[in-house]
Amino acid sequence: MWSFFARDPIKDFNYEILPENQEKSGIWTLSRGKRKTTGEPVSVFVYEVSQGTEEQTQLAKAAFKRTKTLRHPNILSYVDGLETEKSLYIVTEPVTTLAAHLKLQAEKGGASDLEVSWGLHQIVKALSFLVNDCHLNHNNLGMWAVFVDRAGEWKLGGLDHVTSNQGESTSLPPPKVINPDLERYDPPESPGGGGDKWTGDVWRLGCLIWEVFNGNLPRASSLRSLGKIPKQLVPHYCELVGANPKIRPNPARFLLNCRSPGGFMNNSFVESCLFLEEIQIKEPAEKQQFFQDLSENLDSFPENFCKHKVLPQLLTAFEFGNAGAVVLTPLFKVGKYLSAEEYQQKIIPVIVKMFSSTDRAMRIRLLQQMEQFIQYLNEAAVNSQIFPHVVHGFTDTNPAIREQTVKSMLLLAPKLNETNLNQELMRHFARLQARDDQGPIRCNTTVCLGKIAPYLNAGMRQRVLISAFSRATKDPFPASRAAGVLGFAATHQYYSVVESASRILPTLCTLTVDPDKNVRDQAFKAIKSFLSKLETVSEDPSKLAEIEKDVTALAQTGGSAATWAGWAVTGVSSLTSKLIRNAPAGSEAPPAENSPVPQSAAGPAPTNTASKGVQQDRSYVSCQRLCPMDLAETPKSGRLSSAKCFTNNHAFTPSGLSKAELAKKKREERRKELEAKRAERKAAKGPLKLGARKLD
């Protein structure tokens, strides 16, 4: 029983004090600590009774009481405490002294005026709270009484000498009795020598401002030298340290003066911080506008503030505030400051949840910015939680979403499993390439297939690539035909010499009479490349194994295709912009079954009469060079913009035929070609190719 009363209360204390990085803060020792149960970081202020005087112990007990009872966002937050006969412990949020913080910032180039303006704003606001709302005087304001948390926000502490300003007597000694060095911070007038109740505190506020910009104050007379104090702050600073105590402003008045137009605290950073403090009571429209403007300002904000202040508000706004897609841009900007572990913990769960959203704006923003977070996604999350939602974009009625979904596969493909990549994705690609009514999307599908070919297994490559690229070369959209040629060239290592000679070269040769010269040029280059390979084997058959070594190679892992992934840069990005601008009317329609290749370079491109549902006045969009995908771009609005619009009312043919004659001629040519193809296919009875439908 007696052992129960003899227990040491410190052993039962729920916090552990870490021995390293201890700092002196007045009569206290500031130490880092952590909660024993959760490991949560805290700061612990320790006062040892045996090492202090009776007056210091009296101040420590007063500070313990004030810290515990005073609650304000800008005053050091009390978490827990312990008072024994031997020592006092005050546990607060994790902080460091202002002096140590400014020293660390100086090593990085110095604290910015934006950061200092918000820090001083917080200290003045806390001082105003004490003076005007609590009717207290701080009496100990200085560098030693200001602390900085993880977000870089300044907190007022040092409450050892706080007294009432309503005439109540106090037995607490003044700071200079405990530490004579603090006498230089005392105002020039004697106690009770006139002025308002706040005159002493605002004088010390002026001393604090001087030290923030100029370092340690050697003597009171140095306050006359402005040093590095910003010009915007000078007139208001001079009011604080004026010799006449009656003209020194109330802290609240000083804050208003600094927030006036052109004032030191009138800037985007302070405005953003104030909005974040009141975000819970703001209207939804105000929040939307704030998050839209926030991205432009984040680059000038301190890194720690973005991580510990802005990020939690962004996550909360998405989780509970229905902020939607507008939070994505600032969210990914802040994410750059996080470590891989922090990113996984804080942002990835939100991203995974966002992919299940039905908000189109959210979905397209995620797809557009996938490059910023794809490296943090693990394969399990991609295959089970993200890909099933992304594939819905392939069938979306909005062309912009379909296009972005195709482009996103370049990033997702290395992380997809066997089923999703070789079966599900190929099924959607076949449908898009054969049936999509947007030429640029069909083109992009072909380009994307060429880029992700290394990730496909060998059997799927042999079944898909030749069929898909051959279909692309018959597309009425010139950029798609160019993409088909470039696809063959970029994946040449995956074809046997027999396939090259019997299937690929015949397809490429038909493009040597394509109506567009750029397509013809690309076809000639590809033909020369394949012929060179065939000639090499013909001259030295022993090289066959070396040339065909990749035909049955295993699928590559993510990143291994980086050396050739830029093939579309010189192909689609530079070639198709010209092709599309010169595209004839009707080239936007999807390719019909077995649509023939144009037979004459001088003749008109075939018109696809099978797709009557496509609007005749549909305009075309240039394929733009995009990094890293270099694919044709569809505007965010979902409607393709016009680079050069051709309508049926303004269509003229190179041969000079009238519109009716040309249409009749093309219908007749197409009927003959289809009959020939049907007869050929019935005779061959070979296996169906990817994306082809069986004809009677």
Side-chain angles (χ1 to χ4, degrees):
M1 177 178 178
W2 293 109
S3 62
F4 174 80
F5 292 103
R7 271 193 321 186
D8 185 358
I10 297 179
K11 291 183 179 180
D12 297 330
F13 195 41
N14 198 26
Y15 298 88
E16 178 184 350
I17 300 175
L18 305 177
E20 67 270 14
N21 298 327
Q22 294 184 343
E23 302 175 74
K24 199 67 178 174
S25 178
I27 62 175
W28 300 87
T29 300
L30 173 59
S31 303
R32 293 174 58 245
K34 63 180 181 180
R35 188 186 292 267
K36 292 179 181 179
T37 54
T38 62
E40 178 187 359
V42 294
S43 287
V44 183
F45 290 81
V46 182
Y47 172 77
E48 298 291 347
V49 175
S50 61
Q51 297 179 8
T53 65
E54 185 177 344
E55 291 174 328
Q56 290 176 332
T57 302
Q58 183 184 6
L59 289 173
K61 291 182 178 181
F64 186 96
K65 179 181 177 182
R66 292 293 187 186
T67 306
K68 188 175 182 179
T69 55
L70 284 174
R71 299 285 182 170
H72 188 269
N74 304 127
I75 292 179
L76 194 60
S77 298
Y78 175 87
V79 176
D80 202 349
L82 176 65
E83 183 176 356
T84 69
E85 294 180 356
K86 297 181 180 180
S87 53
L88 284 85
Y89 299 87
I90 300 178
V91 182
T92 69
E93 59 187 309
V95 292
T96 185
T97 61
L98 177 60
H101 174 75
L102 293 178
K103 181 180 179 181
L104 182 63
Q105 292 298 98
E107 295 172 358
K108 299 178 181 179
S112 66
D113 283 353
L114 290 180
E115 181 182 358
V116 173
S117 68
W118 175 239
L120 290 175
H121 184 285
Q122 293 175 296
I123 297 304
V124 177
K125 198 170 181 181
L127 188 62
S128 176
F129 168 73
L130 288 179
V131 170
N132 299 311
D133 298 328
C134 302
H135 306 290
L136 299 172
N137 287 336
H138 189 278
N139 297 320
N140 190 33
L141 184 58
M143 292 278 285
W144 56 89
V146 179
F147 302 88
V148 184
D149 67 8
R150 289 179 296 180
E153 298 200 295
W154 296 11
K155 306 283 186 174
L156 181 60
L159 305 179
D160 309 22
H161 298 272
V162 172
T163 59
S164 172
N165 58 25
Q166 292 185 315
E168 299 177 11
S169 60
T170 177
S171 58
L172 295 178
K176 62 183 179 182
V177 173
I178 304 300
N179 186 355
D181 289 340
L182 299 182
E183 187 173 1
R184 63 179 181 271
Y185 299 101
D186 286 345
E189 69 274 6
S190 59
D196 294 293
K197 55 188 178 182
W198 58 77
T199 56
D201 279 339
V202 296
W203 171 275
R204 295 183 182 89
L205 174 62
C207 297
L208 171 65
I209 292 173
W210 194 96
E211 290 195 325
V212 166
F213 291 102
N214 299 309
N216 188 50
L217 179 68
R219 63 190 68 85
S221 59
S222 300
L223 294 171
R224 299 171 187 163
S225 175
L226 299 176
K228 299 178 182 178
I229 297 176
K231 292 182 180 179
Q232 299 166 296
L233 191 55
V234 167
H236 309 303
Y237 159 78
C238 291
E239 291 180 350
L240 299 178
V241 294
N244 185 355
K246 294 183 179 180
I247 65 171
R248 293 176 201 156
N250 184 290
R253 170 56 58 185
F254 173 79
L255 203 58
L256 288 175
N257 293 340
C258 292
R259 292 276 295 126
S260 60
F264 181 65
M265 298 179 187
N266 185 16
N267 55 62
S268 61
F269 184 48
V270 172
E271 294 289 346
S272 298
C273 294
L274 292 173
F275 190 95
L276 287 173
E277 286 189 345
E278 302 172 351
I279 194 169
Q280 302 301 332
I281 60 174
K282 296 293 185 180
E283 294 294 328
E286 293 178 299
K287 295 180 184 179
Q288 289 279 329
Q289 187 62 46
F290 171 75
F291 288 126
Q292 287 178 359
D293 299 337
L294 182 61
S295 296
E296 301 176 3
N297 299 322
L298 280 177
D299 293 332
S300 62
F301 290 0
E303 178 179 325
N304 285 334
F305 180 84
C306 293
K307 289 171 59 176
H308 300 291
K309 187 73 173 182
V310 176
L311 179 58
Q313 292 292 352
L314 290 173
L315 298 177
T316 301
F318 170 75
E319 198 77 24
F320 306 108
N322 299 320
V326 73
V327 305
L328 284 177
T329 302
L331 181 66
F332 292 138
K333 263 195 172 183
V334 175
K336 296 177 181 178
Y337 299 129
L338 303 179
S339 65
E341 183 179 353
E342 290 174 323
Y343 205 103
Q344 283 285 348
Q345 181 183 1
K346 297 180 179 179
I347 295 185
I348 290 301
V350 176
I351 290 176
V352 170
K353 186 175 181 180
M354 286 178 177
F355 271 105
S356 63
S357 172
T358 57
D359 181 5
R360 276 179 165 170
M362 173 77 74
R363 288 162 55 196
I364 200 166
R365 288 273 188 93
L366 282 170
L367 295 172
Q368 289 171 339
Q369 302 188 52
M370 186 178 290
E371 188 180 7
Q372 300 189 41
F373 58 83
I374 186 65
Q375 67 268 31
Y376 301 106
L377 295 173
N378 58 55
E379 294 184 6
V382 169
N383 285 284
S384 63
Q385 297 175 278
I386 293 178
F387 184 74
H389 296 294
V390 172
V391 291
H392 294 308
F394 288 125
T395 56
D396 198 284
T397 57
N398 188 323
I401 293 182
R402 296 203 304 276
E403 179 206 27
Q404 290 298 332
T405 304
V406 171
K407 290 159 68 173
S408 70
M409 292 303 111
L410 292 174
L411 301 170
L412 289 177
K415 296 178 180 288
L416 294 180
N417 58 28
E418 175 79 11
T419 302
N420 286 337
L421 177 62
N422 292 283
Q423 297 179 26
E424 185 73 8
L425 180 58
M426 292 301 101
R427 181 173 64 84
H428 286 289
F429 270 21
R431 188 194 60 77
L432 285 174
Q433 197 186 38
R435 303 178 189 176
D436 199 286
D437 63 350
Q438 301 293 328
I441 294 179
R442 300 196 302 273
C443 172
N444 287 349
T445 303
T446 303
V447 172
C448 186
L449 178 61
K451 285 193 171 190
I452 68 173
Y455 308 121
L456 302 175
N457 62 43
M460 184 57 64
R461 284 200 299 262
Q462 291 183 344
R463 289 196 300 272
V464 168
L465 295 186
I466 294 180
S467 298
F469 294 146
S470 296
R471 172 178 288 277
T473 62
K474 298 177 177 63
D475 196 294
F477 191 53
S480 291
R481 300 201 295 275
V485 176
L486 292 167
F488 276 129
T491 56
H492 67 91
Q493 70 270 32
Y494 299 124
Y495 311 122
S496 67
V497 292
V498 174
E499 289 175 321
S500 299
S502 62
R503 300 181 64 188
I504 299 175
L505 281 173
T507 300
L508 292 175
C509 286
T510 60
L511 294 177
T512 58
V513 292
D514 191 273
D516 193 284
K517 185 177 185 304
N518 289 302
V519 176
R520 298 197 300 271
D521 290 344
Q522 294 296 331
F524 282 120
K525 290 179 183 179
I527 290 170
K528 290 177 182 177
S529 174
F530 280 99
L531 285 176
S532 176
K533 183 165 69 171
L534 295 178
E535 289 176 0
T536 300
V537 175
S538 176
E539 294 176 0
D540 187 357
S542 63
K543 293 183 178 180
L544 178 62
E546 174 66 20
I547 288 179
E548 293 187 349
K549 66 179 181 179
D550 292 328
V551 174
T552 57
L554 297 176
Q556 297 179 0
T557 57
S560 56
T563 56
W564 64 270
W567 65 271
V569 174
T570 56
V572 172
S573 63
S574 59
L575 170 67
T576 58
S577 60
K578 299 177 182 178
L579 288 172
I580 298 171
R581 284 196 297 270
N582 298 322
S587 65
E588 195 65 23
E593 291 295 327
N594 302 314
S595 58
V597 179
Q599 297 298 312
S600 172
T607 300
N608 182 10
T609 59
S611 181
K612 297 181 180 179
V614 181
Q615 296 179 0
Q616 292 182 345
D617 63 342
R618 185 178 297 280
S619 54
Y620 309 104
V621 63
S622 296
C623 291
Q624 302 173 3
R625 177 171 178 174
L626 300 178
C627 187
M629 304 170 192
D630 310 306
L631 302 178
E633 178 74 21
T634 301
K636 298 178 182 178
S637 64
R639 176 162 179 85
L640 299 178
S641 62
S642 176
K644 188 172 182 181
C645 183
F646 297 81
T647 65
N648 288 341
N649 294 331
H650 297 83
F652 297 93
T653 66
S655 61
L657 296 176
S658 68
K659 176 182 174 183
E661 292 171 340
L662 175 63
K664 181 177 180 180
K665 180 179 179 181
K666 285 192 286 191
R667 283 196 300 270
E668 184 65 24
E669 290 177 351
R670 188 167 185 281
R671 185 183 63 79
K672 293 179 180 179
E673 290 290 340
L674 288 176
E675 289 177 353
K677 289 289 183 179
R678 289 193 186 100
E680 179 183 351
R681 185 164 293 194
K682 283 184 178 180
K685 292 185 179 180
L688 292 176
K689 304 299 186 293
L690 177 68
R693 291 178 295 182
K694 187 173 180 180
L695 297 175
D696 296 328

